[in-house]
Amino acid sequence: MKYDKKYEIMLSMLESAGYQAYIVGGCVRDMLLGRPVSDIDITTNALPEQIMEVFSGMKVIPTGIKHGTVTVLYDSEPFEITTFRVDGSYSDSRRPDSVKFSSSLEEDLARRDLTINAMAMDIRGKVHDPFCGEADLKAGILRCVGEPEKRFAEDALRILRTVRFASVLGYRTDEKTETAALAMRSRLGLISRERCRDELIKMIMGSHFAETALRYREIIAQLIPEFRPCFDFQQRSKYHKYDVYEHIVRAVEAAPDNELLRTAMLLHDIGKPQMFKLDENGVGHFKGHAGVSADIAREVMKRLRFSSDFTESVCTIIAYHSDTIGSEKHIKRMISRIGAENLFMLLEAKKADNLAKCEFVLDENPYFDKCAEIARELIRQDQCMSLRQLAVNGNDMKELGLCGKAIGAVLEALLALVIDEELPNEKDRLIAYTKEELL
Ligand code: ATP
Ligand code: MG
């Protein structure tokens, strides 16, 4: 654990100055589980000014000083140090109206969401656990600290955090907590879309996502109502053993550990119900669903404030996910059209898609690995697949008397011919061809 020494030094600096200090929350949970720790939070009875004084020799950023949080950079790694606090009343289901500093560790732990997130550990490794979080951790139970209705009413994001931990840890939710989470799901509308998006991303990265997303589908549909038509939608196809929604969530779980890919799988078939056609033999078809799904994905991702670059890549993968990938030439064309990175993602997406269909479809997956191999070889050979690699450029076209849009059009036409191996990528030949055929 790379943090070990550093956080110990920070705890001991606070203790030497006469304060109590603990690591707290998610990092204690993850350490007890032996999971990688993403960020270390420290809690102390020192007030913000006192924290700043203790760490005056280091870079200190008063990130949230009103709420008692300062960030200390140790070897440029950030540590959040927060004064024990109790949250005031919540009138909007998202932020406390006020926070009050406290001198009690237990009060600070009581404001935390789940028992497994409400433990603190001191420098000697002693765990402070007034809500029996360690027992819940061992038993695999997600349980609110205190009354679930009250805690979800205070901050509805806790509903999503609970579902996220179910997906990541594979835990079951205590009955009262689960009932309240489902009953109070409409309050998620009060939470900022960015915060919902961040939880959703963590949720889809979980290794128990499929089971979780099936159980809490109403909560997921609160964020993405476009899923509703997919629930229980029978595909009537020999390739599919699951309904559209179950296929989607299983494809997410089958995808590699990559946010972009998993987001693409989450939305890849969302437009299927709209495009469903039953043929005369009673077989279901979804022609055109990839494009429609990409359109819906774009809207969903805009609403959830995903960045535009991320959205574009996700939508590209979705738009092409049901195309067949053919010959070497086709692979070249695809690289030229969507870029090598997106093509590699697309091939992984196709494998994940198959993993959530009937078993026999899996026979196709080694072929996608072969396609990736071919693509890598084409790149290694520096084969011409983009305008940048073409042996002629805009200036050459100007010298031939072309201007404006015609330049781009001619270059694109030449690139297509080079990719299709109808012309070699040689300047003289390309210029001669342009003069003869394209002017
Ligand atoms: P991770 O860092 O792995 O995403 P985490 O549980 O550590 O998960 P953080 O956002 O780092 O999440 O929060 C640190 C701790 O703060 C949590 O473990 C929990 O004790 C508390 N906490 C975070 N968000 C809430 C919330 N909405 N309501 C109550 N307590 C919260
Ligand atoms: Mg954390």
Side-chain angles (χ1 to χ4, degrees), residues 24-27 29-30 36-39 41 80 87 90 94 108-109 111-114 116-119 151 154-158 161 164-165 195 199 202:
V24 68
C27 59
R29 174 199 71 221
D30 290 338
V37 173
S38 61
D39 50 342
D41 297 313
E80 285 212 335
D87 293 338
Y90 288 71
R94 7 174 207 201
D108 184 87
L109 295 175
R111 73 178 169 86
R112 294 169 186 275
D113 55 353
L114 300 168
I116 61 165
N117 292 337
M119 292 181 272
R151 305 312 309 284
E154 287 170 355
D155 179 359
L157 189 76
R158 292 171 185 156
R161 283 178 51 89
R164 184 248 288 200
F165 287 113
R195 292 177 84 205
E199 279 308 319
K202 290 180 177 169

Side-chain angles (χ1 to χ4, degrees), residues 10-11 14 19-24 40-49 51-52 55 61 63-72 79-87 99-102 104-105 108-109 111-112:
M10 306 188 75
L11 293 184
L14 283 160
Y19 303 109
Q20 297 172 45
Y22 309 85
I23 55 168
V24 68
I40 297 240
D41 297 313
I42 292 173
T43 188
T44 174
N45 61 347
L47 294 169
E49 299 74 43
I51 301 172
M52 295 184 59
F55 295 101
I61 310 161
T63 6
I65 203 136
K66 272 210 310 253
H67 299 101
T69 302
V70 300
T71 303
V72 176
F79 289 81
E80 285 212 335
I81 307 184
T82 307
T83 309
F84 295 161
R85 54 175 236 218
V86 259
D87 293 338
V99 296
K100 222 171 68 210
F101 296 142
S102 160
S104 142
L105 171 65
D108 184 87
L109 295 175
R111 73 178 169 86
R112 294 169 186 275

Side-chain angles (χ1 to χ4, degrees), residues 286-303:
F286 298 93
K287 200 162 179 284
H289 79 275
V292 172
S293 297
D295 292 343
I296 299 174
R298 197 168 280 110
E299 271 171 45
V300 169
M301 293 179 76
K302 191 166 176 212
R303 194 172 68 227

Side-chain angles (χ1 to χ4, degrees), residues 255-420:
D257 211 356
N258 174 294
E259 289 181 6
L260 202 146
L261 254 173
R262 287 200 168 200
T263 308
M265 297 326 291
L266 183 71
L267 301 168
H268 80 287
D269 274 351
I270 198 162
K272 258 188 164 180
Q274 293 184 26
M275 304 307 285
F276 180 70
K277 293 245 160 40
L278 206 57
D279 70 17
E280 60 276 14
N281 302 317
V283 174
H285 299 276
F286 298 93
K287 200 162 179 284
H289 79 275
V292 172
S293 297
D295 292 343
I296 299 174
R298 197 168 280 110
E299 271 171 45
V300 169
M301 293 179 76
K302 191 166 176 212
R303 194 172 68 227
L304 290 174
R305 312 278 194 271
F306 279 86
S307 77
S308 49
D309 284 358
F310 190 89
T311 302
E312 274 323 302
S313 281
V314 165
C315 292
T316 299
I317 293 165
I318 296 175
Y320 286 98
H321 84 268
S322 64
D323 282 20
T324 26
I325 310 273
S327 56
E328 187 173 304
K329 276 184 200 167
H330 184 221
I331 293 173
K332 277 204 226 171
R333 264 184 244 130
M334 288 297 287
I335 294 177
S336 157
R337 205 174 301 150
I338 68 174
E341 270 311 301
N342 283 336
L343 176 71
F344 290 125
M345 291 281 183
L346 175 64
L347 293 167
E348 288 300 326
K350 289 179 81 68
K351 283 161 61 182
D353 197 1
N354 282 351
L355 281 160
K357 298 183 188 172
C358 294
E359 274 75 20
F360 75 90
V361 180
L362 284 179
D363 292 349
E364 199 185 12
N365 279 9
Y367 174 70
F368 297 128
D369 289 328
K370 218 172 92 200
C371 291
E373 199 45 56
I374 293 171
R376 274 191 290 274
E377 181 60 19
L378 291 168
I379 294 163
R380 202 188 56 73
Q381 293 168 355
D382 201 19
Q383 291 236 6
C384 174
M385 294 179 281
S386 67
L387 289 180
R388 195 174 41 77
Q389 293 164 301
L390 199 63
V392 288
N393 61 26
N395 288 332
D396 300 319
M397 294 299 113
K398 277 188 195 150
E399 279 174 22
L400 293 177
L402 286 167
C403 58
K405 280 192 181 150
I407 294 180
V410 168
L411 288 173
E412 286 291 351
L414 291 172
L415 176 63
L417 290 162
V418 170
I419 287 175
D420 286 347

